[in-house]
Amino acid sequence: MTKKTKQPTLDFKTDWAYAPALEDTKHINLKKQYDLFIDGKFVKPNSKKHFATYNPATEEKIAEIAEANEKDVDKAVKAARKAFDKWSKISAKERGKYIYRIARLIQERAREFAVIETMDGGKPIRESRDIDIPLAANHFFYYAGWADKLEYAFPDRTPKSLGVAGQIIPWNFPLLMAAWKIAPALATGNTVVLKPAETTSLTALKLADLIQDSGLPDGVVNIITGAGHTGAAIVNHPDINKIAFTGSTDVGKMIQKAIAGTDKKLTLELGGKAANIIFDDAPLDQAVEGIVNGIFFNQGHVCCAGSRLFVQENVADIVIRKLKDRMETLVVGNPMDKNTDIGAINSKEQLLKINNYLKIGKAEGADIYQSSCGIPSKGYFCKPTLFLNASQSHRVVQEEIFGPVLTIQTFRTIEEVIEKANNIPYGLSAGVWTDKGSKIFNLTSKLRAGVVWANTYNKFDPTSPFGGYKESGFGREGGLHGLMPYVRL
Ligand code: NAI
Ligand code: MG
């Protein structure tokens, strides 16, 4: 390692014991304008264009972000290709050291990352601080460990790096998704061109800063910003060997078409509409916590959100009453307040989309119920919402809303609930709540979902694979399985 690691400066003055007011976020060292991170340096975009990123809780502009065009993408891919020659020849042990170093630097700067994540995307600070940022560091730690053990991951085979990976990520878990993408790619000796989502680029750019400080060889990770046009330029670039995409099913399908007939490898992690199933023998209070966590975590901007609740008929009344009571206790508002449970909706567009689904659900005849909480007059907010008496054919049941909106259906028999849970275009995740292990085994084998949680929900760990069936995409991220899409065997 040639470059010396710069001692990280803690430029965030707030202690966690104290919830920062929105104005205190001024202590965060943000630039007014961000350029593209290519070949180890921040460079002006060829497009000469920048666009604004906003704080969705205040509607205030935070910073300007560069918009990369085809020429910028080409420059980033060339840098990644040049770096690949060197990176793929470095010893695996040395590669692992760099990845460990990135993990440690994320931990050291965790507070700053958490505050920026919350400012830029609207998620509660408690979630950025306790979940997103620590998990992002853990992904780097986990894959750093694999770097020099690939022959054990693939016994009797010779795993070879692919080359340059183009990675496109969404806005719901910005730094965490960057970690999910970059860590396994580096561990397997690939180089990266990553594009964060246009509403939440700041933590990826902060990661670029950190990567510079880590001494990682120039060009191994390039981070370029922009919207769909930039993403498409990455997908269509002829010198990219692999595309990893997380985002909407519509864009996922477009990407699949665009690379058909090329030899690019592809993984897609797309939408979901998970069934969260409560049996009458479940510990009901715990199940209610699981329902709340399943749908209201991160404002419901979660691909694996438990957005369809199925309650066994004989306990439906009591579960719904407990759920309504619990919803009254949820604090909706300032994401920077550590007591906030539900923060801001990520963007104006997403709020419009959610509000439109609220209208659709009502028009379809489901009964809408919202908690009596107030919401701030400024910023993009949505009250936690239930659709009672929803039916299988309702659009609010079939389509991904990606907001704090839960549909509720009841069932009598296990066969009926399996049928309904599977009768959907998606197959990413599901939850089962019951006292009986045999029921859990029965359901986990019959539900067409990549992840099935039993008596818990939204639990993530770098060691466990994640991914879907049907329109939820293909390929797995996380765990040993997460190495597979980045190697040729
Ligand atoms: P999106 O799929 O358009 O955005 C995801 C990423 O793809 C962003 O980085 C975006 O810039 C990029 N992108 C957009 N068009 C592209 C193209 N043609 N080629 C390559 N990259 C492209 O998602 P969007 O519009 O932000 O959200 C719309 C809906 O998608 C949400 O309401 C939600 O239902 C769903 N969604 C699902 C996610 C998931 O994790 N399952 C994540 C984000 C959105
Ligand atoms: Mg933003």
Side-chain angles (χ1 to χ4, degrees):
M1 296 191 189
T2 43
K3 282 188 209 164
K4 207 165 156 259
T5 309
K6 225 197 301 172
Q7 209 36 39
T9 45
L10 273 185
D11 39 14
F12 173 51
K13 299 194 184 103
T14 312
D15 195 86
W16 286 123
Y18 151 75
L22 286 177
E23 57 272 21
D24 289 341
T25 54
K26 290 195 189 99
H27 295 308
I28 293 292
N29 273 345
L30 286 171
K31 295 182 216 165
K32 279 211 164 76
Q33 201 177 67
Y34 286 84
D35 294 325
L36 306 169
F37 184 64
I38 298 177
D39 209 11
K41 291 168 279 297
F42 284 93
V43 295
K44 294 269 170 233
N46 175 277
S47 70
K48 297 196 166 60
K49 284 189 211 156
H50 286 78
F51 61 95
T53 188
Y54 296 90
N55 181 335
T58 61
E59 299 177 42
E60 278 161 7
K61 179 168 144 182
I62 311 177
E64 285 184 351
I65 314 282
E67 185 185 315
N69 65 14
E70 281 83 356
K71 286 201 173 130
D72 297 306
V73 170
D74 186 53
K75 204 164 156 188
V77 174
K78 285 206 169 94
R81 176 61 58 195
K82 196 176 80 199
F84 177 68
D85 284 342
K86 202 168 147 196
W87 183 243
S88 56
K89 286 178 197 125
I90 286 180
S91 79
K93 198 170 148 204
E94 197 70 6
R95 238 170 30 222
K97 276 193 209 163
Y98 283 111
I99 308 171
Y100 275 122
R101 208 188 252 192
I102 293 171
R104 282 200 308 271
L105 285 171
I106 292 176
Q107 284 185 322
E108 282 173 25
R109 300 176 192 185
R111 294 173 178 203
E112 219 186 329
F113 270 112
V115 172
I116 296 172
E117 200 73 303
T118 285
M119 280 172 78
D120 203 14
K123 67 174 65 205
I125 188 72
R126 210 176 49 212
E127 292 178 9
S128 321
R129 179 193 66 184
D130 297 347
I131 299 169
D132 291 56
I133 310 303
L135 265 180
N138 283 349
H139 265 269
F140 280 103
F141 276 120
Y142 175 76
Y143 282 107
W146 273 122
D148 63 352
K149 301 172 193 70
L150 293 178
E151 70 255 44
Y152 301 100
F154 305 103
D156 302 325
R157 310 178 76 171
T158 324
K160 283 213 173 70
S161 322
L162 297 175
V164 178
Q167 307 181 318
I168 299 165
I169 58 172
W171 40 261
N172 50 346
F173 294 93
L175 185 72
L176 183 58
M177 288 302 108
W180 277 32
K181 298 278 183 281
I182 296 173
L186 296 190
T188 45
N190 298 284
T191 58
V192 165
V193 175
L194 174 121
K195 190 193 86 63
E198 52 272 33
T199 58
T200 54
S201 301
L202 292 179
T203 45
L205 291 161
K206 178 98 200 141
L207 182 66
D209 245 1
L210 179 157
I211 283 171
Q212 233 177 8
D213 294 347
S214 77
L216 188 77
D218 292 346
V220 173
V221 172
N222 304 275
I223 295 178
I224 59 172
T225 46
H229 183 82
T230 310
I234 295 175
V235 170
N236 294 324
H237 195 287
D239 199 32
I240 281 193
N241 305 94
K242 189 214 154 52
I243 295 289
F245 173 79
T246 300
S248 64
T249 297
D250 288 347
V251 173
K253 285 180 182 171
M254 278 162 55
I255 291 176
Q256 200 174 358
K257 278 190 200 138
I259 72 166
T262 72
D263 68 352
K264 288 173 190 159
K265 269 197 157 196
L266 177 65
T267 38
L268 296 175
E269 206 268 89
L270 309 176
K273 190 79 182 177
N276 201 1
I277 304 168
I278 319 291
F279 287 95
D280 59 2
D281 59 5
L284 294 185
D285 289 322
Q286 281 176 42
V288 169
E289 286 308 302
I291 297 167
V292 167
N293 173 40
I295 187 62
F296 300 129
F297 170 55
N298 199 28
Q299 296 72 247
H301 303 327
V302 183
C303 46
C304 53
S307 49
R308 290 184 297 150
L309 176 64
F310 288 95
V311 197
Q312 201 155 21
E313 202 172 66
N314 53 331
V315 289
D317 287 347
I318 179 164
V319 168
I320 292 167
R321 182 175 53 73
K322 281 174 184 279
L323 176 60
K324 286 178 174 173
D325 287 349
R326 181 67 175 87
M327 279 165 69
E328 284 301 309
T329 69
L330 295 175
V331 179
V332 183
N334 179 1
M336 282 297 170
D337 186 331
K338 67 179 168 27
N339 290 326
T340 292
D341 298 299
I342 301 182
I345 299 302
N346 185 267
S347 66
K348 196 174 184 174
E349 292 70 38
Q350 189 59 24
L351 182 60
L352 287 172
K353 181 182 160 183
I354 296 167
N355 285 338
N356 191 39
Y357 272 113
L358 299 188
K359 279 195 205 129
I360 291 171
K362 279 192 257 183
E364 285 176 317
D367 300 322
I368 191 166
Y369 173 87
Q370 293 186 306
S371 91
S372 69
C373 66
I375 53 173
S377 54
K378 217 168 179 210
Y380 314 127
F381 291 92
C382 178
K383 291 184 183 186
T385 304
L386 306 178
F387 274 118
L388 302 154
N389 306 316
S391 69
Q392 192 69 14
S393 61
H394 285 161
R395 282 184 62 191
V396 288
V397 168
Q398 291 289 328
E399 297 172 18
E400 184 179 54
I401 300 175
F402 228 57
V405 182
L406 177 70
T407 60
I408 305 185
Q409 295 169 267
T410 56
F411 69 95
R412 265 182 219 162
T413 65
I414 194 163
E415 293 74 27
E416 180 191 351
V417 78
I418 291 170
E419 166 87 30
K420 282 184 176 164
N422 285 337
N423 177 8
I424 193 110
Y426 296 108
L428 191 56
S429 58
V432 182
W433 298 80
T434 169
D435 211 18
K436 277 225 162 50
S438 57
K439 253 188 226 164
I440 294 172
F441 281 119
N442 189 3
L443 279 154
T444 46
S445 59
K446 290 187 182 135
L447 291 172
R448 280 294 278 170
V451 183
V452 183
W453 283 291
N455 295 330
T456 186
Y457 208 92
N458 275 339
K459 278 269 185 301
F460 305 99
D461 191 278
T463 61
S464 59
F466 186 89
Y469 292 106
K470 301 194 274 187
E471 293 197 10
S472 293
F474 47 79
R476 294 292 178 265
E477 295 186 296
L480 171 59
H481 298 71
L483 294 166
M484 205 93 83
Y486 289 98
V487 292
R488 217 177 289 283
L489 293 169

